[in-house]
Amino acid sequence: MRYVDEFRDPQLAGRLIEHIQAVARRPVRLMEFCGSHTHAIFRFGLRQAMGPNVIMRAGPGCPVCVTSSADLDRALALAGMPNVIITTFGDMMRVPGRRGTLQEARARGSDVRVVYSPMDALRLALENPRSHVIFLGVGFETTAPAVAATMYQAHARGVPNFSVFSVHKLTPPATRAVLDAGEVALDGILGPGHVSAIIGSNAWRFLPEEYGIPCAVAGFEPLDILQGIAALVESVVEGRPGVFNAYGRGVQPEGNPTALAMLERVFQVADAEWRGFGIIPASGLKIRPAFADYDAERRFPVQVERAGEPPGCRCGEVLRGVLEPYDCPLFRRVCTPQHPVGPCMVSAEGACSAYYLYGGEPA
């Protein structure tokens, strides 16, 4: 398949792995921020192939996983209101909050529907003028521009029965939070390719400049990831931290100016609560007052109690890179994809899901 096979060439992958093994003369500890990277690394067997000196830790780059229990409880409260249709991506349906899951709310009679894009939710609002359609806006810089564009269109068309509950989050502040906490020693960061397509590779310059560690932006095919890791290992061993773009076909240094302008028009940066972290300053996107009519938090204010993790669940530590999934006492015993206890086992980008599906074991 064109545009895929050339990035899965086994001979080129083998040469990159040999190069990484030769350069990594001492242990190099890296974090892949993005959950899609975690799944690809396991799916293609890259972790084992690179050898013991390249130590990879999964990071908080799973938007479903880092959505706080309190925000999920707010979504459940909105789902319980009369004449409201909650729309969301499929991964969110089974994420547990203190009051259960959206899937359970639907079973109890709430109108909760899975959509494939925010435009699907807007279309649903136009088709159901007697109901109010709320889109649950979960995601990072990758998905937020499409939500912003949908709100802009709803505003332009004067659609009165559509709004967004925005729990969008920004990735660089979470990376800072991991490093500032000092709970896990890291030599470099494998940066998310799709997020960086929006914010640009320059957005990661704070890592070498302020923390003295390199960042390599990578795509999600094996050669993309191996090129990124090779750049990180070379940088660490040679002591020359910088930002390296191993995803040149998708990422520009300045990002996507059209998408960034749309984000700026509709959203403003605000503090946000992350599962496993608590409040991270300036790490979320809230809706600007100019679009208040499309802000579900303002139109339907609900109060919820703060909630902790399910008993025994270690998702918070997994998201911070402090623990690996098999360090959680519930992993594989109680918590499975069929019966998930925490969000990291639910989401297709969750670290626990990757370890479960592809057999991650202690080194």
Side-chain angles (χ1 to χ4, degrees):
M1 183 184 297
R2 194 178 180 191
Y3 303 126
V4 173
D5 289 345
E6 58 259 56
F7 298 102
R8 297 181 179 180
D9 186 305
Q11 291 186 337
L12 291 177
R15 290 178 201 163
L16 279 167
I17 290 169
E18 289 177 0
H19 175 69
I20 291 169
Q21 291 173 334
V23 174
R25 297 183 294 275
R26 64 172 178 81
V28 177
R29 298 154 300 185
L30 307 175
M31 172 177 280
E32 75 272 10
F33 182 93
C34 180
S36 294
H37 275 152
T38 302
H39 276 255
I41 287 168
F42 274 105
R43 177 186 175 196
F44 293 106
L46 303 183
R47 193 178 192 188
Q48 297 85 345
M50 289 185 291
N53 273 356
V54 179
I55 302 162
M56 304 293 299
R57 278 293 172 102
C62 165
V64 169
C65 305
V66 297
T67 299
S68 71
S69 292
D71 283 334
L72 188 58
D73 285 345
R74 291 187 182 93
L76 289 164
L78 293 171
M81 299 178 66
N83 301 317
V84 164
I85 301 173
I86 294 291
T87 55
T88 182
F89 297 134
D91 273 9
M92 285 301 296
M93 291 294 287
R94 295 199 303 147
V95 177
R98 190 175 58 86
R99 302 182 179 185
T101 66
L102 288 169
Q103 183 170 270
E104 291 166 350
R106 183 166 68 178
R108 292 192 296 267
S110 296
D111 196 342
V112 182
R113 307 189 192 186
V114 173
V115 294
Y116 294 98
S117 77
M119 285 300 295
D120 288 344
L122 179 58
R123 192 175 304 114
L124 197 61
L126 293 169
E127 294 170 353
N128 296 270
R130 294 185 178 180
S131 297
H132 189 93
V133 175
I134 299 175
F135 178 71
L136 181 52
V138 173
F140 296 135
E141 296 94 330
T142 320
T143 53
V147 178
T150 302
M151 293 175 62
Y152 189 75
Q153 187 168 139
H155 177 70
R157 299 174 66 174
V159 180
N161 62 325
F162 173 77
S163 62
V164 172
F165 177 37
S166 176
V167 292
H168 294 101
K169 293 179 172 58
L170 303 174
T171 51
T175 310
R176 284 184 182 274
V178 169
L179 295 170
D180 289 342
E183 296 177 296
V184 54
L186 295 173
D187 296 313
I189 301 291
L190 189 67
H194 40 23
V195 163
S196 301
I198 303 298
I199 65 176
S201 55
N202 283 347
W204 301 102
R205 290 174 61 178
F206 71 94
L207 289 171
E209 292 174 356
E210 299 179 34
Y211 294 91
I213 65 172
C215 174
V217 174
F220 301 94
E221 295 297 332
L223 295 190
D224 294 322
I225 295 170
L226 289 171
Q227 285 180 323
I229 292 174
L232 288 173
V233 172
E234 290 169 3
S235 174
V236 171
V237 171
E238 296 171 5
R240 50 174 186 85
V243 174
F244 307 94
N245 186 1
Y247 197 28
R249 68 184 185 282
V251 174
Q252 299 299 314
E254 304 299 333
N256 183 325
T258 302
L260 291 172
M262 183 57 73
L263 286 179
E264 177 67 20
R265 175 172 290 183
V266 175
F267 292 115
Q268 59 189 18
V269 175
D271 297 348
E273 183 177 359
W274 294 57
R275 189 186 293 261
F277 290 82
I279 301 294
I280 299 179
S283 68
L285 292 175
K286 292 299 180 184
I287 297 167
R288 289 189 180 279
F291 292 86
D293 288 346
Y294 301 93
D295 186 346
E297 279 194 275
R298 294 181 181 174
R299 293 192 62 165
F300 308 102
V302 294
Q303 298 295 324
V304 300
E305 298 177 5
R306 295 187 64 83
E309 298 296 327
C313 177
R314 308 295 291 273
C315 274
E317 290 145 294
V318 171
L319 289 167
R320 300 198 303 275
V322 178
L323 297 181
E324 295 196 79
Y326 45 67
D327 295 321
C328 175
L330 306 186
F331 181 70
R332 282 206 185 109
R333 300 177 180 87
V334 177
C335 185
T336 66
Q338 292 74 32
H339 302 285
V341 177
C344 297
M345 186 61 87
V346 176
S347 173
E349 294 184 280
C352 296
S353 170
Y355 277 63
Y356 186 95
L357 290 173
Y358 303 113
E361 299 291 348

